[in-house]
Amino acid sequence: MNADSIIFDPHLPWIALYAAVALAVLFIALAIWRGLAGWWLRALAAVALLVALANPSLQQEERNPLSDIVLVVVDESSSQGLSDRAEQTQAALGRVLAQIAAMPNTEARVAVVGDGEGDEGTRAMAALSEALAEEPRARVAGAILISDGRVHDMERTPDLPAPLHLLMTGHATDWDRRLVVQNAPAFGILGEEIELTLMIEDQGDLPSGAGRGATVPLSIAIDGEEPRTYDVPVGEELSLPVTLSHGGKNVIQFITPTAEGELTDRNNAAVVQINGVRDRLRVLLVSGEPHPGERTWRNLLKSDSSVDLVHFTILRPPEKQDGVPVSELSLIAFPTRELFIEKIDEFDLIIFDRYKRRGILPTLYLDNIRDYVERGGAVLVAAGPDFASADSIYRSPLGDIMPASPSARVMEEGFLPEVTELGEKHPVTEGLEALYPSEEEGVPGWGRWFRLVDLIPGEGQVVMQGLEERPLLVLQRQGEGRVALMASDHAWLWSRGFEGGGPQLELLRRLAHWMMKEPDLEEESLTAEAVGQEMTVTRRTLGDAPDEVEVTGPDGSVYVVPLEEVSPGLYQGVFEGPDLGLYRLVEGERTAVVALGPSAPKEFEETIATGAVLEAAIGARRGGVVPLEDGAPDIREVREGRVAAGRGWIGITPREAYVTADVTVIPLVNPLLFLVLAALLTLGAWLVEGRRGAKAA
């Protein structure tokens, strides 16, 4: 293909040439005004002079035409896997590519877009921008997006030089139901009511019985327990009051069953994770008599600003017989009825520190403390010699819930507290030795204690031992509550730094949190932590190695995750979830629920195909939206600026781009010849005007 054009390379700057043209026009006009007969010769001379100065040339180009390019973006995100959209997409892509291949001097560039990283959704505009950046804009004749129209990065829409079209998958009869959690706090105070807001919404071409006004079942399960089901209305905002039952992560799962004909059930469930925090930890400390460890207990509990401590100490030693009534053995009246009858359930933990029966707490009150534990309370007994005596609180109704019984022997001899084999697995004591490492392997690097109350183990778990491997710390679940028995009153030696001290603060912190049922300190648990699409499955047990964990994905697929022991009693496995959504974990009788990303990924928040999202971008480029259920459209060529879509067809704009292979420039004017011509014409003008002047004379 050749093309000829006239180009100019003036001998003077263009501004000087324009000035010369203006002067020539002025002089010729003056000649005409004066009636000079040779004005036309003067005009021809001026033209010849100006042409010589302009220096025109003939430029001949040899051009090689370039093909037009049509950008085709194929959406293969998760929402495109619903119904028969994948089949529609492949059929449309095949027809589009066949038509483009049949068009003269036209070719297609295909870009495939999947789910964005994390939960970014469909990044179709980013894919289109990248495809456009790789091609010369002068060759792009159009862009075609094959998708359901659910694009999540419209802010990345490129400035296209040609029409944009959407070939929309899906069907006009599609409908879907989704569960939306509109408001859920990240934290909640234990015992206080918080409010969740959710709604069940129907979208699309609804069948009879669906939509606003209908009622559907909604199942609510907390921490993987047996769900409760309620009938709730569709299309109305629901306020759900929730009271958190324990500290740490509370997992609440909502599920509405799959309705017949809806597109997917991936958005029929939601998981809310709320961290339960205690407003204040209420502790009742009852010290039976003044002793060095009493101050340690008080300082330890008062140092935590989140602890509300009520502390009573019985100051009068029992051997002082001076006739003082037992009701006056405190500096202030001991409000026993108020504490142990009326308000006992307000305490999270009751500590008896070297307490013995003295008639201050009647049997009825001790009965109530036992019932308090059965109902879910916690009692910690820090035993001294009193526990082995005839006045021991073990010989009261509290003996029914004690994890071990005294043998009436107290050993006054130095010993190193040690963690038992069971204690190495228990979350209260596991890894405790690492806090005070010893130079001698296998021996704790902490100081000795010098008193141990001999205990006869019962059903409790011995997690620490003392002299001659006798029980030192015994734990037990009792009914809904928990009991701990420390068989020595010398823990204060660690806090004083005796012989290097020891991890008293960490031990008592873990002990208190275990008694208050913190999930992180459960000795039998199955949990999972998710980062991106990777989850770490953790199984803690005091028993033998657990089985593999069965993981059920959001699409119903079942996977098996093997576990490896990372420390005594702690097993972990890593699983890469293929999809975002809810995963259910099962190991034996233990179950857990974890969400990778949101419960319903962005791809499944809204699933009904639509052209509304792309309407503005398509309209600005005079393109069209074509539902593929009506069949793939024909592709035509339209001139730039014309409407590029109609019934059953879409248009592309031919660009007629080319690359220049060779250029030849031929001068059209010989400057010297034109200067001579201009001089001759000027001379002719003088002669004509001179002859006419002679005749007039």
Side-chain angles (χ1 to χ4, degrees):
M1 180 176 71
N2 296 323
D4 298 337
S5 59
I6 302 296
I7 63 173
F8 295 90
D9 184 19
H11 294 290
L12 297 175
W14 279 105
I15 188 169
L17 188 61
Y18 293 150
V21 171
L23 287 173
V25 172
L26 180 62
F27 288 145
I28 293 170
L30 182 60
I32 295 173
W33 177 69
R34 294 185 60 187
L36 298 178
W39 69 267
W40 57 278
L41 291 171
R42 293 177 184 273
L44 290 176
V47 170
L49 182 60
L50 292 172
V51 170
L53 292 173
N55 191 25
S57 301
L58 175 65
Q59 179 174 282
Q60 295 179 332
E61 295 184 4
E62 183 179 342
R63 298 176 176 177
N64 294 333
L66 297 176
S67 60
D68 292 332
I69 295 175
V70 179
L71 304 177
V72 182
V73 178
V74 182
D75 181 2
E76 292 187 357
S77 59
S78 297
S79 62
Q80 279 285 85
L82 301 177
S83 185
D84 61 345
R85 294 179 183 179
E87 291 78 8
Q88 287 181 314
T89 298
Q90 292 306 312
L93 177 61
R95 179 169 171 78
V96 165
L97 295 180
Q99 289 190 70
I100 293 175
M103 300 178 76
N105 203 36
T106 307
E107 56 183 310
R109 297 282 192 272
V110 179
V112 177
V113 58
D115 293 344
E117 293 184 5
D119 188 35
E120 294 182 339
T122 302
R123 311 287 292 173
M125 292 298 103
L128 181 58
S129 298
E130 292 171 4
L132 180 63
E134 294 176 358
E135 306 296 340
R137 290 177 61 87
R139 295 179 60 188
V140 176
I144 299 173
L145 172 61
I146 306 176
S147 169
D148 56 11
R150 293 296 180 179
V151 175
H152 302 106
D153 65 339
M154 291 305 300
E155 71 282 356
R156 296 287 303 276
T157 303
D159 181 18
L160 282 169
L164 171 65
H165 305 284
L166 170 64
L167 305 188
M168 189 174 68
T169 59
H171 300 276
T173 56
D174 287 342
W175 80 282
D176 192 31
R177 173 171 291 159
R178 66 172 184 156
L179 191 156
V180 184
V181 177
Q182 298 174 321
N183 175 54
F187 297 89
I189 297 176
L190 296 183
E192 292 188 9
E193 188 175 277
I194 59 176
E195 188 172 275
L196 305 181
T197 306
L198 61 137
M199 182 171 68
I200 298 175
E201 182 180 39
D202 287 345
Q203 301 174 329
D205 184 24
L206 306 179
S208 60
R212 190 176 182 88
T215 58
V216 296
L218 175 66
S219 298
I220 304 174
I222 300 177
D223 293 330
E225 297 178 354
E226 191 68 24
R228 296 182 180 182
T229 303
Y230 308 89
D231 287 332
V232 299
V234 174
E236 297 182 15
E237 188 175 275
L238 306 174
S239 294
L240 179 67
V242 174
T243 302
L244 303 182
S245 60
H246 61 78
K249 184 168 62 177
N250 292 257
V251 180
I252 306 175
Q253 183 180 15
F254 304 96
I255 299 176
T256 184
T258 307
E260 182 178 356
E262 68 169 313
L263 276 177
T264 179
D265 61 358
R266 289 288 300 275
N267 50 13
N268 287 34
V271 165
V272 175
Q273 298 182 0
I274 305 176
N275 282 320
V277 295
R278 296 180 183 274
D279 181 24
R280 306 285 289 178
L281 174 62
R282 290 173 289 272
V283 178
L284 174 60
L285 172 61
V286 181
S287 298
E289 61 184 74
H291 69 100
E294 177 192 9
R295 176 59 59 179
T296 300
W297 277 108
R298 182 177 179 84
N299 290 343
L300 174 68
L301 295 170
K302 292 295 289 184
S303 65
D304 190 342
S305 60
S306 65
V307 172
D308 279 340
L309 176 64
V310 178
H311 183 197
F312 286 94
T313 302
I314 301 173
L315 300 176
R316 302 280 288 184
E319 64 272 11
K320 187 169 184 177
Q321 301 294 327
D322 54 5
V324 178
V326 294
S327 61
E328 298 179 12
L329 289 181
S330 299
L331 291 178
I332 62 174
F334 198 167
T336 53
R337 177 175 179 80
E338 183 179 6
L339 292 177
F340 296 105
I341 296 294
E342 299 174 1
K343 295 186 176 181
I344 188 171
D345 289 325
E346 295 182 6
F347 289 102
D348 299 294
L349 174 63
I350 298 176
I351 302 175
F352 287 102
D353 174 34
R354 290 191 59 168
Y355 179 82
K356 64 171 64 175
R357 294 182 299 138
R358 294 176 174 173
I360 296 176
L361 296 182
T363 302
L364 175 63
Y365 292 179
L366 297 176
D367 273 332
N368 200 38
I369 296 173
R370 180 190 58 196
D371 295 341
Y372 154 79
V373 173
E374 297 283 354
R375 296 193 301 269
V379 167
L380 167 62
V381 176
D386 53 272
F387 194 74
S389 68
D391 295 328
S392 170
I393 60 172
Y394 179 80
R395 310 184 193 286
S396 73
L398 292 182
D400 298 339
I401 60 173
M402 286 293 117
S405 59
S407 68
R409 180 184 177 190
V410 179
M411 290 171 280
E412 305 277 353
E413 186 178 340
F415 66 91
L416 280 176
E418 296 179 356
V419 177
T420 65
E421 183 178 349
L422 178 64
E424 291 178 351
K425 298 180 179 181
H426 202 288
V428 170
T429 50
E430 60 100 8
L432 207 59
E433 300 97 328
L435 298 177
Y436 282 80
S438 171
E439 294 181 2
E440 184 179 351
E441 186 176 355
V443 178
W446 48 56
R448 292 176 296 165
W449 295 1
F450 291 90
R451 180 180 291 144
L452 180 68
V453 178
D454 187 30
L455 298 178
I456 301 172
E459 297 180 357
Q461 299 167 334
V462 180
V463 296
M464 292 188 72
Q465 61 190 14
L467 192 65
E468 299 176 358
E469 298 184 353
R470 298 176 184 274
L472 174 60
L473 177 59
V474 189
L475 309 178
Q476 178 174 302
R477 293 170 180 261
Q478 185 68 38
E480 297 295 324
R482 303 184 182 191
V483 181
L485 175 59
M486 178 77 75
S488 176
D489 58 348
H490 277 192
W492 61 272
L493 290 171
W494 277 357
S495 66
R496 298 286 180 88
F498 177 75
E499 293 186 347
Q504 184 206 27
L505 179 62
E506 178 64 17
L507 173 61
L508 297 181
R509 185 194 67 81
R510 292 188 194 178
L511 184 58
H513 284 278
W514 174 80
M515 299 187 74
M516 290 180 291
K517 306 176 184 178
E518 292 292 339
D520 292 342
L521 290 167
E522 289 295 304
E523 58 269 42
E524 296 290 339
S525 64
L526 174 65
T527 59
E529 294 291 336
V531 178
Q533 288 189 230
E534 181 181 277
M535 73 171 73
T536 300
V537 181
T538 302
R539 175 72 167 95
R540 184 186 290 277
T541 180
L542 300 182
D544 298 330
D547 297 329
E548 296 174 327
V549 177
E550 185 178 277
V551 180
T552 304
D555 59 352
S557 301
V558 179
Y559 310 90
V560 174
V561 180
L563 301 178
E564 296 182 0
E565 188 173 20
V566 295
S567 64
L570 189 66
Y571 300 81
Q572 288 185 339
V574 177
F575 173 67
E576 186 78 21
D579 299 305
L580 300 178
L582 296 176
Y583 288 78
R584 183 173 181 83
L585 288 65
V586 177
E587 191 280 318
E589 297 181 355
R590 300 282 169 180
T591 62
V593 177
V594 65
L596 295 186
S599 308
K602 188 172 289 187
E603 280 295 308
F604 296 99
E605 285 182 358
E606 296 180 293
T607 56
I608 305 301
T610 179
V613 177
L614 290 155
E615 184 177 1
I618 292 174
R621 293 156 183 83
R622 315 204 75 172
V625 177
V626 180
L628 285 177
E629 66 177 333
D630 299 332
D634 296 328
I635 301 177
R636 303 177 184 176
E637 293 184 350
V638 297
R639 284 185 292 178
E640 188 172 357
R642 295 292 185 89
V643 175
R647 188 176 183 83
W649 66 272
I650 57 175
I652 61 174
T653 302
R655 306 294 287 171
E656 298 179 354
Y658 62 87
V659 61
T660 301
D662 189 26
V663 177
T664 302
V665 178
I666 302 173
L668 296 178
V669 172
N670 186 322
L672 182 59
L673 179 61
F674 267 62
L675 287 175
V676 172
L677 178 60
L680 291 175
L681 288 171
T682 302
L683 180 60
W686 287 345
L687 292 175
V688 170
E689 292 168 357
R691 186 179 302 167
R692 176 169 294 186
K695 287 182 180 181

